[in-house]
Amino acid sequence: MNLYAYASPATFYHLAGRLIPWFAWGAGLLTVWGLYVGFFVAPTDFQQSEAYRIIFIHVPAAWMSMFIYLVMAFWGAIGLAFNTRLSFMMARALAPTGAMFTFVALWTGAWWGKPMWGAWWVWDARLTSELILLFLYVGIIALWAAIDDIKRGDRAGSLLTLIGAINVPIIYFSVKWWNTLHQGATIKPSGTSMDAIMLQGMLVMAFAAWFYTIAVALVRVRRIILERERHTEWVKALLAKEI
Amino acid sequence: MPDEALLSVHDLACTRGERLLFKDMNFTVRSGELLLVQGGNGQGKTSLLRLLTGLARPDKGEVRWRGEVIQRQRDSYHAEMMYLGHANGVKEDLNPVENLRFAEGLQGRAFDEARATAMLERLGLARCLDLPCRVLSFGQRRRVALAALLMATAKLWILDEPLTGLDVHAVALMEQLIRDHLAGGGLAVATTHQTLNLDGMPVQRLLVGKVAIPEMA
Amino acid sequence: MHRFLLAVLRRDLTLAARRRGDWLIAQFFFVMVASLFPLGVGPEPEMLSRIGPGVLWVAATLASLLSLSRLFADDHRDGSLEHMILSPEPTVLLVLGKSLAHWLIYGIPLLLIAPVLGLQFNLPAQAILTLEVSLLLGTPILSLLGGVGAALTLGLRGGGVLLTLLILPLYIPALIFGAGAVDGAMAGTGSEAHLSLLGSFLVLSLMIAPWIAAAALRVSLE
């Protein structure tokens, strides 16, 4: 098997087409399972009552938001180092999903905060970091939107993702430091040690989020490939067949 | 070796946006030779020149200087190459002498003020030496840029439309400068829409794109 | 090598000296933004000294950002940026020189104005001293990170606003450590920890930002 063959957009287009249904169905099934565990099986938390159940969405979304950023930085670095077109396309395909999860994490954080502290927004270290992460995502997407030239956009966006990725740990540390100095609120996932069943629910939801991300990113990559390669013979043949 | 092949291009391809400008381009330029790049507007003349300078990276193929790919010897290639683009690279707030001073500094060389003044005077700027370039005409600013080009004493000149905005005297001067440069063993690559009278000098013509422009020799 | 760095520095300083108007605008902007806050939140001295460090830091950041979009744009327009990139000297040195020049032109004056504004905000002498040290360490970070933003947004529509959007999130640690140092000095808890973190951030930016900015500059010019 030649791994390089899969780095060619034409081959990858067909491979992605075969993979998408698997990941989409996987995401659906895992979500149903995860939500079932989270909302019906997991016991009610004695400190936080039913409201805590939002963490089954909040925590996986927050994990994904950071992880997707790192994956984007990885693809960007690969693209810059080896000049592979597909890696830049992957980075572009992931960004909207990353921003979406960041937004979900913020939104659910606010929903959780209201019953917990009686305020929609608390300058908690984690929420603040998520907010800054959202700024970073918006910056990258805005930069891509502003650059018309594909090659320049790919490289510029990857450089920005990279310097952001170097900066993210520092931002997280500084915000935490700032938070402890100002004695702000700190979210702790249920004061006691986490139940095994709660952990299970959360992990299942995290896998569901992963499958969803892969499925959506593959759909987007396919669209980007078609758009960028529309002058090549194989895309013309493909489109002619479909019409 | 007076006619050593110094600059060579191998299977070069260039796309802008989604349009293929040219592909499978091959040529060599020997010392003492001028390559005149011709073609209509938007056919990729400037793109080719930017590939030759190393400002742009080729999609396919390579540009070699003294037999080695230019990206692998950036420093030594840039030390021997000077580029004159559409924009002059002349700062409006500085006078011609100051402009040359900084141009030399940016090339990492020491500045010789007497030589710079002589150069500017030779190019007909004797009366403008202490005026900010803001008040100079376009052609005069172009001459300042030419002075910077001459100061550098580079082996290879890459000139994008060097005659734009120059009057008859300046065009004749430019022709003389190119002759001297070639006679001294230098190479030049130039694009121009205007007639360049270089009888007797070895001139190679290259057509970029499909649309030929009428012969102007 | 140092001759090249010096040439870049001298060139940008000379050009700034020929265009003092642009330079003054940035300084007045700093004064104006800082002066808006008392009008917005009220003149109580306790309140002002409470928010003073943060306000002055944010205002200094914005004032410095204002000029960053022109870091490479002017040279790009008249073509001299291409000549500088085509110099045999490394592009990293060019970026470093231009960032340093930006800091000398726009960062240092902020240090001179800040104490006066500190008095307006009822800051004690010790806090003003810490503010100066924190700005001394923090403003070069903005010039360095801003170089990356200016290179990435070179020649784009609405580049200035985009630059702000890209760079401000990256700059947050400097804001936190810088304003925190002044807070610490006022609360009597000491500011050494903050200042050394700010210093580390400066060193890290100095090691990384010029390389990324140089790469971005080549990408933008291609």
Side-chain angles (χ1 to χ4, degrees):
Chain A
M1 196 183 79
N2 181 7
L3 266 180
Y4 278 101
Y6 289 102
S8 123
T11 322
F12 190 79
Y13 179 84
H14 295 293
L15 178 71
R18 284 200 297 278
L19 289 176
I20 287 168
W22 291 95
F23 282 105
W25 278 105
L29 293 174
L30 284 168
T31 311
V32 171
W33 178 18
L35 287 180
Y36 175 72
V37 171
F39 283 81
F40 298 104
V41 180
T44 306
D45 190 278
F46 69 95
Q47 281 180 324
Q48 310 174 31
S49 73
E50 302 295 340
Y52 92 95
R53 291 184 194 276
I54 196 87
I55 62 165
F56 288 108
I57 297 171
H58 174 78
V59 174
W63 283 346
M64 287 309 289
S65 64
M66 289 178 223
F67 207 79
I68 291 178
Y69 193 89
L70 291 182
V71 175
M72 277 170 61
F74 167 78
W75 283 123
I78 296 280
L80 289 172
F82 302 108
N83 201 11
T84 40
R85 283 175 297 160
L86 195 58
S87 10
F88 290 124
M89 297 186 202
M90 290 295 260
R92 284 205 196 213
L94 282 166
T97 311
M100 189 273 286
F101 274 120
T102 318
F103 189 73
V104 168
L106 284 171
W107 191 259
T108 51
W111 265 8
W112 185 18
K114 186 62 181 169
M116 287 287 294
W117 310 293
W120 292 110
W121 182 262
V122 176
W123 288 95
D124 153 75
R126 245 168 276 191
L127 278 182
T128 311
S129 303
E130 281 290 318
L131 184 65
I132 298 170
L133 190 62
L134 184 66
F135 292 161
L136 290 177
Y137 272 118
V138 169
I140 294 166
I141 294 173
L143 184 64
W144 275 327
I147 302 178
D148 295 326
D149 184 74
I150 292 172
K151 249 199 297 181
R152 177 179 171 190
D154 280 346
R155 288 167 186 279
S158 298
L159 284 170
L160 182 63
T161 319
L162 271 185
I163 195 167
I166 298 168
N167 218 316
V168 160
I170 305 170
I171 292 175
Y172 184 71
F173 168 74
S174 69
V175 169
K176 235 177 120 170
W177 164 276
W178 162 82
N179 189 252
T180 46
L181 281 180
H182 293 271
Q183 281 108 35
T186 304
I187 298 176
K188 284 212 177 78
S190 113
T192 54
S193 65
M194 208 188 286
D195 241 18
I197 191 76
M198 283 164 65
L199 187 66
Q200 186 201 338
M202 235 183 275
L203 284 178
V204 171
M205 285 303 284
F207 275 112
W210 253 123
F211 274 57
Y212 167 80
T213 307
I214 295 173
V216 174
L218 288 180
V219 170
R220 251 187 236 118
V221 157
R222 267 165 68 98
R223 216 157 52 205
I224 296 173
I225 290 176
L226 279 192
E227 205 182 308
R228 292 194 184 179
E229 310 256 307
R230 65 172 177 269
H231 297 293
T232 58
E233 291 306 317
W234 73 270
V235 173
K236 279 181 190 158
L238 189 83
L239 291 178
K241 210 163 54 186
E242 278 175 17
I243 300 165
Chain B
M1 278 180 284
D3 56 349
E4 188 187 1
L6 287 176
L7 180 72
S8 60
V9 156
H10 304 264
D11 300 325
L12 198 65
C14 173
T15 49
R16 192 163 55 220
E18 286 157 350
R19 218 157 59 89
L20 179 73
L21 290 173
F22 52 79
K23 63 172 184 176
D24 301 329
M25 182 181 279
N26 285 284
F27 61 78
T28 53
V29 187
R30 296 167 177 281
S31 70
E33 192 180 27
L34 168 77
L35 177 75
L36 204 54
V37 181
Q38 295 181 310
N41 290 328
Q43 299 288 325
K45 295 192 301 288
T46 296
S47 298
L48 172 63
L49 259 48
R50 292 176 69 88
L51 283 171
L52 293 182
T53 60
L55 276 172
R57 274 167 179 278
D59 294 315
K60 248 191 83 208
E62 48 198 31
V63 179
R64 294 191 199 153
W65 174 252
R66 296 186 190 277
E68 208 184 328
V69 179
I70 55 171
Q71 272 81 12
R72 283 204 216 111
Q73 45 156 351
R74 183 187 167 275
D75 306 359
S76 49
Y77 179 56
H78 285 174
E80 291 191 278
M81 188 272 299
M82 275 298 278
Y83 172 62
L84 180 62
H86 285 282
N88 292 323
V90 169
K91 293 310 279 187
E92 299 196 331
D93 292 321
L94 303 175
N95 68 36
V97 180
E98 288 167 327
N99 260 301
L100 290 192
R101 176 194 301 279
F102 289 119
E104 284 287 284
L106 294 176
Q107 296 293 316
R109 283 190 299 268
F111 181 63
D112 180 350
E113 181 153 356
R115 189 164 158 254
T117 316
M119 203 70 86
L120 289 166
E121 279 165 0
R122 183 180 164 202
L123 288 170
L125 292 168
R127 279 180 302 163
C128 315
L129 291 184
D130 47 7
L131 293 176
C133 288
R134 198 178 328 112
V135 303
L136 301 188
S137 73
F138 182 84
Q140 285 171 319
R141 273 183 247 175
R142 199 72 179 160
R143 290 175 193 226
V144 177
L146 287 177
L149 178 75
L150 291 175
M151 289 289 285
T153 57
K155 184 95 177 160
L156 169 65
W157 287 359
I158 296 184
L159 314 171
D160 198 353
E161 298 291 341
L163 304 183
T164 311
L166 296 184
D167 58 20
V168 197
H169 304 292
V171 169
L173 177 67
M174 187 72 223
E175 283 164 355
Q176 190 53 49
L177 292 178
I178 292 179
R179 278 169 185 277
D180 293 349
H181 177 64
L182 298 181
L187 302 68
V189 178
T191 64
T192 176
H193 285 299
Q194 282 153 280
T195 315
L196 204 54
N197 179 19
L198 291 170
D199 293 339
M201 303 308 287
V203 177
Q204 200 188 139
R205 285 167 197 281
L206 176 78
L207 181 69
V208 177
K210 294 163 194 81
V211 190
I213 52 168
E215 189 61 43
M216 296 183 309
Chain C
M1 206 165 99
H2 71 279
R3 180 183 288 156
F4 176 65
L5 195 66
L6 275 179
V8 175
L9 263 179
R10 278 186 50 187
R11 174 177 180 279
D12 277 24
L13 291 177
T14 314
L15 287 171
R18 300 277 160 93
R19 292 215 169 239
R20 283 189 211 97
D22 295 353
W23 177 78
L24 273 174
I25 287 172
Q27 317 311 326
F28 268 113
F29 184 81
F30 178 42
V31 175
M32 236 181 260
V33 170
S35 310
L36 280 182
F37 277 84
L39 299 175
V41 300
E44 295 82 10
E46 300 77 39
M47 156 91 91
L48 288 181
S49 64
R50 180 77 200 80
I51 63 165
V55 166
L56 292 180
W57 251 87
V58 172
T61 303
L62 295 179
S64 192
L65 264 176
L66 198 64
S67 49
L68 266 172
S69 61
R70 297 214 338 277
L71 187 60
F72 299 115
D74 287 347
D75 290 335
H76 181 45
R77 202 173 312 114
D78 60 29
S80 42
L81 189 61
E82 282 173 355
H83 289 239
M84 290 191 252
I85 300 263
L86 290 176
S87 149
E89 305 290 333
T91 313
V92 174
L93 274 187
L94 166 70
V95 173
L96 201 62
K98 290 200 71 90
S99 297
L100 188 58
H102 177 268
W103 178 64
L104 290 174
I105 297 163
Y106 294 100
I108 293 285
L110 296 181
L111 291 178
L112 303 178
I113 302 171
V116 183
L117 294 177
L119 292 177
Q120 275 193 338
F121 276 82
N122 194 32
L123 295 185
Q126 181 57 38
I128 291 184
L129 190 67
T130 316
L131 177 72
E132 289 292 283
V133 178
S134 72
L135 283 176
L136 184 71
L137 290 170
T139 42
I141 301 176
L142 190 65
S143 298
L144 287 164
L145 289 177
V148 177
L152 285 173
T153 58
L154 190 65
L156 298 181
R157 285 166 271 122
V161 182
L162 190 59
L163 167 83
T164 313
L165 197 68
L166 304 186
I167 292 311
L168 276 182
L170 302 178
Y171 191 59
I172 286 171
L175 175 67
I176 289 177
F177 299 139
V182 188
D183 272 343
M186 277 165 65
T189 51
S191 52
E192 290 80 8
H194 280 100
L195 290 177
S196 46
L197 284 170
L198 191 61
S200 328
F201 193 44
L202 171 61
V203 172
L204 195 71
S205 308
L206 197 62
M207 287 192 303
I208 294 171
W211 264 268
I212 298 208
L217 210 50
R218 281 194 291 265
V219 166
S220 295
L221 277 180
E222 204 167 284

